[in-house]
Every structure is written in structure tokens, then in C-alpha cells.
Amino acid sequence: MRLACLAIGLSLWAAIAPAQVIEDRRSYPGTGERVLRIVSTADLDVFDPYLRAFGERYPEITVDYAVASSVDVNRMVRDGAEFDLALSSAMDLQFLLANDGFAQPLRTDVTASLPDWARWRDLIFAFTAEPAVVVLSASQMEGLPMPRTRQDLLALLRDSPERFAGAVGTYDVRESGLGYLFATQDARATDAYWRLSEVMGRVGPQLYCCSGQMIDDIAKGELALAYNVLGSYAANRLEGMADPDLRIVRLADFANVMLRTALVTAQAQEVEAAGAFIDMLATLGLREEAGDWPLPPLRGAGEASDTGFGPIRLGPALIVALDPLNRRTFLAEWENAMEQE
């Protein structure tokens, strides 16, 4: 049964994303006529190894891979765009798609082996567990203490506003589905989120659509720190830097851990190929060691650790914050905090 009491009108998505934007696209040619069409929030430089691995296992299948924002992924699936598979970092939007009937069920031996917290009703399947982190520039932080908790970060920005004027980055939660998810989860977990937002607002924060852009601007020296960045993207960038200036901090009070998820769309034509791709991702998600893959596995994410790390849960609670009234209320408070004159 769908959660009718939490159903959200499509007008919400028209307001959020009036245009659908494909940010990047690449074809991985196969030897046969079958084409698996994927729309995803994962950047090509991160997801390319997974696409190549699928091509090695299924060389007869061409893969058409399109990158879009989480809001656009949601919108395109709802509009019936010809994609077989939707991959997204925005767990709440994926859950809403499944709840509203835009996903086909899939059950295989591999998906059945996923833990209960990593799948929902054979419609949504998690394959990574990725924490939100703070990323800092070591050179711009010289002489200042590294923050270990949100209270530390709040004190750092409050006590040294001149050092951070215009040099703090975070998501524009009005535009970013993942940013909105992280922000609403933060606000549920601690009152410190709103105090931190107010202090960020006083220093004139830079607002972004995605983690990659925040990391780029830290690497270029345009930001001193960024809040709620995807740790997997930051780790990949740090590994590739010859003279790394980036520092990654997992706040010790708690961290939101996003489950990157996959679903087979209701309009999918290549259902079998989409299922094979999910099986590959789920198998990698269940691996014991991180290995050379760019995105981390699910390993160890089932329960919160002593440091407060645990996954955001797949379930109806995810979409409460997407209710239009709740969303408007949250965004109004967020704008008052972050856009101070």
C-alpha cells in the first residue's frame, strides 16, 4: 500500500525543477543491439569504473549513462523519460518515486542478500554508504584549531569571522536534493544545526549545487571550508592530489551517512539488464574491503558506531520533510539563517 497520507503533488517538482538538465553523458558501446539507459547523480569521473566493469561482464550491452542532479533525476523518471535505471544520492526522492509507483520490483539472490536497512520492498536498493563530512583547506586554516564537532565548528566561525568571510561553502538546499536531505536530517538530529546555519549566514556563505564544485573551490583556494560534503568525493580528490591541501573531518558528535540507491524505473524496457546492473552494484556494496573502487561499500554502516555514524534509514520518515508545507517552512527558516543582510 502506498503512503497516501504523505503523497506529494507533482506541482512541487515543477516548482523545484522547471527544466531538466543533463549535465554529462557518455555511451559505452556494446557488441549487440541492446541498450541499457541509466540516469544518475554520480559524476562520470567517479562512476566510470563501474560502467566499464559492467561492460566487461556484459559486452553485448551498450550502456547510455546520463548525469543529472537528484531533483532532475526525480523529475525525469516521473515524466516518463526513457531510462531503465535511476541511481541517486537523494534517498528521500528515490523513496518517493518508489512509493508513488515509479519503480518496478526486482528480486534476485543478490538483492535478497542485502540487509533489511539497505533495501525497501524490493524496489530500492542501496549499494554505498557515504558520510557527510567537513572539507577544509589546510593552508587557510593555518593557526586555527581543527573542528571536531559542530560546536567546535560553530565556535571557529563565530570567533574568526574575518578569516571565513565569503570562504565557507555548503549546499543550496533549495536546488540540491542531497543538500536538502542532509540539512533536514541535521535539523532533526541537533539544535546545533540552526545555530551553525546562523553563524554561517553571518560570514556570507557560498552556496552550491553539488560536492564536486565545493571541493574544486577549496582546491583553488576560494574556500576555507565546506560543510556536508560527500566524503567519498573528497577522498577521491585527496588521493589524486600531488600536494594535497585538503583535510577531511568526520565530525565526532554525529554524521549523516547517505545510502546511494538504485531502482528500476516503471517505464524500463531493459529490465533484465537493469537487474544485472543492480546485482553488480549490490555485490560490490556487500564487499568486505573498500579496494580500488571509488565509492565505499555498505560494510559497517548498519548500526551507528560510538562516534555517531550510522545510515539514514530507508523508510516513510524520509518523505515527511518533502511535504510541501514542511518544505516551505524549512526553507523559510533556512533562508533567514543563511541569507542575512
Side-chain angles (χ1 to χ4, degrees), residues 282-322:
T283 299
L284 290 171
L286 292 168
R287 70 191 187 274
E288 290 298 321
E289 301 296 333
D292 295 330
W293 297 95
L295 298 175
L298 297 167
R299 174 180 45 83
E303 299 296 337
S305 70
D306 292 339
T307 56
F309 289 85
I312 301 170
R313 296 291 173 170
L314 279 170
L318 275 175
I319 58 177
V320 173
L322 296 177

Side-chain angles (χ1 to χ4, degrees), residues 182-220:
F182 279 157
T184 52
Q185 292 292 316
D186 266 12
R188 286 182 60 191
T190 174
D191 290 340
Y193 172 75
W194 289 116
R195 297 198 298 275
L196 179 58
S197 296
E198 290 172 0
V199 173
M200 284 186 187
R202 293 175 198 160
V203 299
Q206 305 300 312
L207 302 178
Y208 293 81
C209 71
C210 46
S211 290
Q213 291 185 1
M214 286 188 263
I215 297 167
D216 286 344
D217 282 356
I218 293 175
K220 291 186 291 188

Side-chain angles (χ1 to χ4, degrees), residues 22-40:
I22 298 295
E23 299 172 1
D24 203 355
R25 195 163 199 159
R26 184 178 298 171
S27 178
Y28 294 77
T31 58
E33 296 182 356
R34 297 171 64 191
V35 180
L36 173 64
R37 295 176 172 86
I38 303 174
V39 63
S40 171

Side-chain angles (χ1 to χ4, degrees), residues 190-260:
T190 174
D191 290 340
Y193 172 75
W194 289 116
R195 297 198 298 275
L196 179 58
S197 296
E198 290 172 0
V199 173
M200 284 186 187
R202 293 175 198 160
V203 299
Q206 305 300 312
L207 302 178
Y208 293 81
C209 71
C210 46
S211 290
Q213 291 185 1
M214 286 188 263
I215 297 167
D216 286 344
D217 282 356
I218 293 175
K220 291 186 291 188
E222 296 177 7
L223 290 179
L225 67 86
Y227 179 73
N228 266 355
V229 176
L230 269 180
S232 55
Y233 280 28
N236 287 334
R237 180 64 61 84
L238 185 60
E239 184 178 345
M241 295 178 69
D243 184 22
D245 185 51
L246 301 185
R247 296 291 183 272
I248 300 172
V249 176
R250 295 189 176 193
L251 296 177
D253 46 352
F254 76 91
N256 288 309
V257 178
M258 172 271 290
L259 302 178
R260 195 179 295 267

